[in-house]
Amino acid sequence: MSKPNTVSQALGEIEKAYATILSKLPLTNEGTESTPKRAAKALVELTQGYFTTPCEKIGEGIFPHDGSGVVHVKGLEICSLCEHHLLPFIGNCSITYIPDKKMLGLSKLKRISDIFARRLQVQERLTEQIADAIEKAIQPKGVLVVIRSVHLCMKMRGVCEKDPETCTVVRKGEFANNQLLTMQYMAESQHTPKL
Ligand SMILES: [Zn+2]
């Protein structure tokens, strides 16, 4: 089957496919009449990262930077779908970079992480892709991306008893060579949710 290249084309085809899936289950209630349509809409929403690129989202969000500091943003929410089971993994991401004459608007960091999170993913690749996109956009002296999340495919399928946290780390440039700097921002990256 050819790949749909527009959202509306994708919606119609996914809806039909969901109807087929549901017809194979011994359902006993009647509240699922509109489920294929709703589920298709939800899936397209959760995979909207396929319909855009970091370049489009970053747009005008690159600015000159003269200082010698570090940019560190933590607690960026990650909601993604694992590509193996189509079940969510949910957590947070911290991004740290050392600018080299250029910096990104802070909201762009969230946009970049969302583009890649809103695709079918494995957490390891998601972490790499976020770091790569930042490197490509502003060529910083170093980037550190840390994602901590809970995978529902582990939690709901009886593989694990509690909430196992998966942590993935990607270090580039100065972070790849400087263990102390990495450890400092790894510690900083622990997100404490506000009440
Ligand atoms: Zn999975």
Side-chain angles (χ1 to χ4, degrees), residues 81-89 121-122 151-154 157:
L81 286 177
C82 93
E83 69 182 11
H84 301 137
H85 305 95
L86 303 183
L87 287 170
F89 61 95
Q121 277 291 5
V122 292
H151 290 243
L152 294 198
C153 61
M154 288 171 81
R157 294 169 54 247

Side-chain angles (χ1 to χ4, degrees), residues 4 6 13 17 44 62 70 79 94 96 99 108 121 123-124 128 130 134 142 146-147 161-162 170 175:
T6 66
E13 288 182 19
V44 167
I62 297 175
V70 170
C79 294
S94 93
T96 312
K108 304 300 178 191
Q121 277 291 5
Q123 187 177 322
E124 296 85 340
E128 286 281 353
I130 294 170
I134 292 167
V146 182
I147 297 179
E161 53 307 331
K162 281 207 97 189
V170 170
F175 285 102

Side-chain angles (χ1 to χ4, degrees), residues 10-12 14-15 18 35-45:
L11 264 176
I14 296 167
E15 183 182 335
Y18 270 133
T35 298
K37 194 177 187 129
R38 288 200 196 96
K41 221 173 145 193
L43 187 66
V44 167
E45 204 177 316

